[in-house]
Amino acid sequence: MGKPTSRSDSKSKAERKFEKKIQFYERVGETIATLNAQKTITKNKLRRRKRDLKAFDLTALSEFLPGLKAPKQKTSDTELKVNCKSRLKFVLKETKQMGTVLNHPAFQADPLGAIHLHLESTQPVEETKKKKTNRNGSKKRKEKKSKATAKPSSMEM
């Protein structure tokens, strides 16, 4: 059935399996050590970048300079962090809001009218374009010269 093996060192099958396991665990340990080393290197790079960015932060000087207002802190930093938890929170909030909108009597009576009214109240009013005025205050008018008055036609003599 099987080919008889002639090995110089006659180790049992269990011993060979045990040695293979030891070699495998040694390789795993080496890769873990190299990955940890790479992780610490990247952490150090990130820390160094943060430190360099803090060095160029001149917002502390704004209180000493006359006439300059301190810049307002942006809240977009917290809005940019979208993870599973914040997304779920947002979806739950919007679902609740949609339920209240659907149950509102004005929306049930006239959905498009309610949406139109909501948009009018929340969106800024767009100013209509004003007609240009001359120096004396009169409105400019574009007068088109008719072709018939500009040149006599060939029919006339």
Side-chain angles (χ1 to χ4, degrees):
M1 306 218 173
K3 189 174 181 184
T5 58
S6 59
R7 296 185 184 208
S8 60
D9 54 349
S10 57
K11 293 183 181 178
S12 67
K13 188 175 181 180
E15 290 175 347
R16 287 193 304 267
K17 283 178 83 174
F18 183 72
E19 286 180 3
K20 279 188 175 181
K21 284 183 183 179
I22 291 174
Q23 289 174 354
F24 173 74
Y25 286 125
E26 286 175 357
R27 283 184 286 183
V28 168
E30 290 172 1
T31 55
I32 288 174
T34 56
L35 288 175
N36 285 338
Q38 289 175 352
K39 190 185 246 185
T40 56
I41 289 171
T42 56
K43 280 185 180 178
N44 289 339
K45 284 183 180 178
L46 290 174
R47 288 179 187 159
R48 201 173 311 135
R49 285 181 191 157
K50 286 182 180 178
R51 186 182 66 225
D52 291 345
L53 288 175
K54 285 181 183 178
F56 292 112
D57 186 22
L58 302 176
T59 55
L61 294 177
S62 63
E63 63 187 45
F64 298 111
L65 295 174
L68 290 178
K69 295 180 182 177
K72 295 180 181 178
Q73 295 292 330
K74 294 182 179 179
T75 58
S76 63
D77 295 337
T78 57
E79 293 173 8
L80 292 178
K81 295 179 182 177
V82 177
N83 53 18
C84 186
K85 188 176 180 181
S86 63
R87 189 178 295 119
L88 179 65
K89 189 176 179 182
F90 175 75
V91 167
L92 290 174
K93 178 184 158 195
E94 289 297 317
T95 305
K96 184 179 175 184
Q97 181 70 22
M98 188 65 178
T100 57
V101 167
L102 291 174
N103 293 331
H104 197 275
F107 183 81
Q108 288 178 349
D110 183 19
L112 293 177
I115 292 171
H116 182 70
L117 183 66
H118 172 71
L119 289 175
E120 282 181 346
S121 63
T122 57
Q123 297 297 318
V125 178
E126 188 176 301
E127 293 184 22
T128 58
K129 292 182 181 179
K130 297 179 180 178
K131 292 184 178 181
K132 295 182 181 179
T133 57
N134 287 335
R135 290 181 186 167
N136 60 2
S138 64
K139 294 179 182 175
K140 274 189 173 180
R141 294 183 189 145
K142 291 184 180 178
E143 296 181 16
K144 295 181 181 178
K145 295 180 180 179
S146 63
K147 293 180 182 177
T149 58
K151 291 183 179 179
S153 63
S154 61
M155 298 290 285
E156 296 177 6
M157 288 196 192

